[in-house]
Amino acid sequence: MIVALIIACEVGFWVLLALGLAARYLLKWRRTSVVLLLCEPLLELVLFTVTAIDLKNGAEPGWEHGLAALYIGFTVAYGHYTIRWLDGHAAHRLAGGPPPPKPPRYGMARARHEGRLWLRTVLAAAVACALLQAAVWYVGDGDTSSLRSFQWTALRAAGIHGLIALTYTIWPKRDPNPGSALPTRDPEHVPDLLVGGTGKDEKQVR
């Protein structure tokens, strides 16, 4: 049941995101799009609640509970980042906005970009480990080996990502054509078109 719910939450994430972007840029329903996007965290809340109830009802802690914790951690860390990235592309494709800036590819700018992504992975691992530790304490004297193994999985993922990000600082990639490339910005610095500011239609209503 937990695995099926994880799949349903993942599908629900993309469905809500697609509906939110369509409402914002195709139907011009700004407030509706904001409501749809604000429903995204409810998916993680439902998954967390069902997982806790499953353990409370005496289910043996297994890999599916660990997978649920990893999924929640990932969506907490990368969910909004993904929404902002797709929002920039939707604004460009559907509303005639400027093309979203590409992430930097060379030098220390690329290293800083990779470092920020790694910090998100650290956040994802921290959330997952915290949820798994809470489950360990909740289970008490039961078999929690699978939960512990997923904690190490989260820590290893953060460590491996950290080593990869560090290589961009130690061996920064050089631009083969310096001065010819246009300046780039990190996608995290793209204005949040979907949930920020006040639309013209809202100003007219007021």
Side-chain angles (χ1 to χ4, degrees):
M1 181 183 67
I2 301 297
V3 176
L5 185 58
I6 293 174
I7 296 174
C9 287
E10 179 66 12
V11 173
F13 174 87
W14 292 106
V15 169
L16 286 174
L17 180 55
L19 291 176
L21 294 175
R24 172 66 176 88
Y25 295 111
L26 296 180
L27 301 178
K28 309 301 181 182
W29 295 348
R30 182 180 181 82
R31 292 181 179 177
T32 301
S33 69
V34 172
V35 171
L36 289 170
L37 264 290
L38 291 178
C39 290
E40 296 277 12
L42 296 178
L43 298 174
E44 284 68 55
L45 180 61
V46 170
L47 179 59
F48 173 78
T49 303
V50 172
T51 303
I53 292 175
D54 191 46
L55 291 173
K56 182 179 180 181
N57 290 338
E60 193 71 22
W63 64 270
E64 63 273 15
H65 300 101
L67 183 62
L70 292 183
Y71 176 81
I72 293 174
F74 179 82
T75 52
V76 168
Y78 282 94
H80 190 252
Y81 178 85
T82 303
I83 292 173
R84 289 172 68 94
W85 182 79
L86 288 175
D87 179 43
H89 284 275
H92 172 57
R93 298 290 183 181
L94 303 178
K102 297 180 180 180
R105 299 176 59 187
Y106 307 106
M108 294 308 297
R110 174 64 182 271
R112 287 190 293 270
H113 170 71
E114 296 295 334
R116 281 189 286 267
L117 290 180
W118 172 68
L119 290 178
R120 289 187 174 276
T121 300
V122 170
L123 174 60
V127 171
C129 286
L131 292 176
L132 290 166
Q133 187 60 45
V136 168
W137 289 335
Y138 184 78
V139 173
D141 296 332
D143 183 10
T144 60
S145 58
S146 62
L147 301 179
R148 295 291 188 186
S149 68
F150 271 91
Q151 285 183 317
W152 285 111
T153 298
L155 293 175
R156 283 196 299 269
I160 293 172
H161 191 178
L163 291 176
I164 294 174
L166 185 61
T167 62
Y168 289 94
T169 301
I170 300 176
W171 301 290
K173 189 175 181 180
R174 295 183 178 181
D175 188 348
N177 299 305
S180 62
L182 295 175
T184 58
R185 290 185 298 163
D186 193 293
E188 296 211 26
H189 299 152
V190 178
D192 197 335
L193 303 177
L194 187 60
V195 297
T198 304
K200 294 181 179 180
D201 54 342
E202 294 181 16
K203 292 181 180 179
Q204 292 175 356
V205 172
R206 295 177 182 175

